[in-house]
């Protein structure tokens, strides 16, 4: 796991698998942990990363509730969980989904955990809206399209945008069940001005990027999605993201868009 300080109040850790991002953000005496790394040793290390930075984590936030983003309770078992209203609806609709998918991943990769995943009843946050952290305010923006839920978190005093599974330098746009190309494109339109005003952008997967890089990824992702919508399987993948793994994601996208 790699930890990067972006600001006195913001530290990002990236998991060894999928480079899944976890953002620790502090204001005053309190800190939140946004999303999570994946492996047990990384989750075990996270409280030490937080305390070395002088952060006291009191709450968890999740940009969306795909299983690899909601593991923070393993690191901070006492912390409350805040998610956007659409994410809360997803959790209510299928409360066992994250635990089931985590178990499948762990079985496939022979990963052992201290226990099964337990999620506390989440606090549903209005999106768009705000969320108080100590003396500061986090701004929540809708970010659906990858999934049916999703929120981007704008940390204004640090100039950091935590956008969830968008603007990734390492993976192409992924249209999961519940997501759609139209909603994804609308989210990119909403993120664009936030990216322009940011100092750092934290994608759900991949190391933090500066706004110039993030804007380049945004343009590539928009072009890819428009081509996916118009040309299906023939849509060219962004040049730097043409790995076999991304071709698999592309084939899945074609299937989902075709079925929609
Ligand atoms: Zn993800």
């Amino acid at each position: 796991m790699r930890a990067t300080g972006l600001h006195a109040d913001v530290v990002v850790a990236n998991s060894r698998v999928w480079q899944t991002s976890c953002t620790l953000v502090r204001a005053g005496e309190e800190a939140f942990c946004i999303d999570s790394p994946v492996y047990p040793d990384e989750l075990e290390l996270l409280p030490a990363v937080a305390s070395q930075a002088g952060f006291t984590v009191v709450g968890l936030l999740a940009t969306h509730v795909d299983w690899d983003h909601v593991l923070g309770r393993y690191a901070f078992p006492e912390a409350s969980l805040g998610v956007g209203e659409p994410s809360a609806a997803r959790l209510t609709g299928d409360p066992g989904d994250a635990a089931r998918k985590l178990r499948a991943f762990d079985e496939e990769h022979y990963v052992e955990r201290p226990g099964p995943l337990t999620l506390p009843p989440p606090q549903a946050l209005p999106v768009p809206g705000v969320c108080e952290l100590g003396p500061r305010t986090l701004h929540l923006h809708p970010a659906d399209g990858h999934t049916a839920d999703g929120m981007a978190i704008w940390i204004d005093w640090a100039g950091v945008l935590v956008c969830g599974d968008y603007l990734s330098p390492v993976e192409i746009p992924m249209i999961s069940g519940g997501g759609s190309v139209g909603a994804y494109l609308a989210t990119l339109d909403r993120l664009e001005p936030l990216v322009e005003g940011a100092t750092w952008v934290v994608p759900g997967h991949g190391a933090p990027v500066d706004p110039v890089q993030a804007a380049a990824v945004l343009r590539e992702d928009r072009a890819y999605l428009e081509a996916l919508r118009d040309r299906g399987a023939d849509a060219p993948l962004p040049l730097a993201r043409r790995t076999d793994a991304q071709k698999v994601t592309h084939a899945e996208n074609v299937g989902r868009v075709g079925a929609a």
Side-chain angles (χ1 to χ4, degrees):
M1 184 170 68
R2 176 180 46 194
T4 316
L6 300 186
H7 179 274
D9 289 332
V10 182
V11 174
V12 174
N14 285 96
S15 181
R16 296 193 302 281
V17 63
W18 304 317
Q19 298 188 35
T20 309
S21 298
C22 170
T23 304
L24 302 172
V25 53
R26 170 182 63 182
E29 302 299 308
E30 297 184 344
F32 284 163
C33 169
I34 307 171
D35 293 349
S36 62
V38 174
Y39 285 125
D41 61 306
E42 298 173 327
L43 289 156
E44 209 180 295
L45 197 63
L46 209 50
V49 172
S51 70
Q52 270 167 27
F55 292 16
T56 305
V57 173
V58 298
L60 308 171
L61 294 178
T63 56
H64 61 304
V65 292
D66 279 356
W67 71 268
D68 54 321
H69 298 262
V70 295
L71 307 179
R73 284 280 277 197
Y74 282 112
F76 305 105
E78 306 296 317
S80 58
L81 173 65
V83 298
E85 278 167 349
S87 293
R90 236 185 107 186
L91 285 175
T92 309
D94 192 354
D97 179 63
R100 206 163 49 236
K101 287 177 177 155
L102 172 66
R103 200 160 56 237
F105 174 88
D106 287 349
E107 284 177 6
E108 186 181 347
H109 298 281
Y110 311 162
V111 174
E112 290 177 359
R113 306 217 175 240
L117 174 67
T118 52
L119 292 176
Q123 187 193 343
L125 306 167
V127 182
V130 296
C131 167
E132 305 303 325
L133 170 60
R136 303 276 198 178
T137 300
L138 300 170
H139 297 262
L140 312 176
H141 298 268
D144 54 327
H146 161 57
T147 51
D149 61 330
M151 66 175 175
I153 299 165
W154 170 236
I155 307 168
D156 61 353
W157 74 95
V160 175
L161 176 66
V162 180
C163 60
D165 281 7
Y166 302 89
L167 308 180
S168 170
V170 295
E171 74 181 16
I172 63 167
M174 191 184 287
I175 310 296
S176 306
S180 77
V181 170
Y184 204 119
L185 284 167
T187 286
L188 292 182
D189 288 347
R190 276 193 303 273
L191 291 178
E192 200 162 29
L194 294 168
V195 166
E196 279 168 18
T199 308
W200 287 102
V201 175
V202 182
H205 299 274
V209 289
D210 68 40
V212 175
Q213 283 175 284
V217 171
L218 192 150
R219 284 192 297 273
E220 288 181 354
D221 287 355
R222 182 182 279 144
Y224 166 72
L225 289 163
E226 288 171 352
L228 176 68
R229 183 191 59 199
D230 299 338
R231 296 161 58 190
D234 292 338
L237 269 57
L239 208 51
R241 288 175 278 166
R242 285 185 186 167
T243 60
D244 285 348
Q246 300 314 305
K247 287 174 188 165
V248 170
T249 297
H250 174 55
E252 288 167 357
N253 285 342
V254 170
R256 290 236 163 77
V257 171

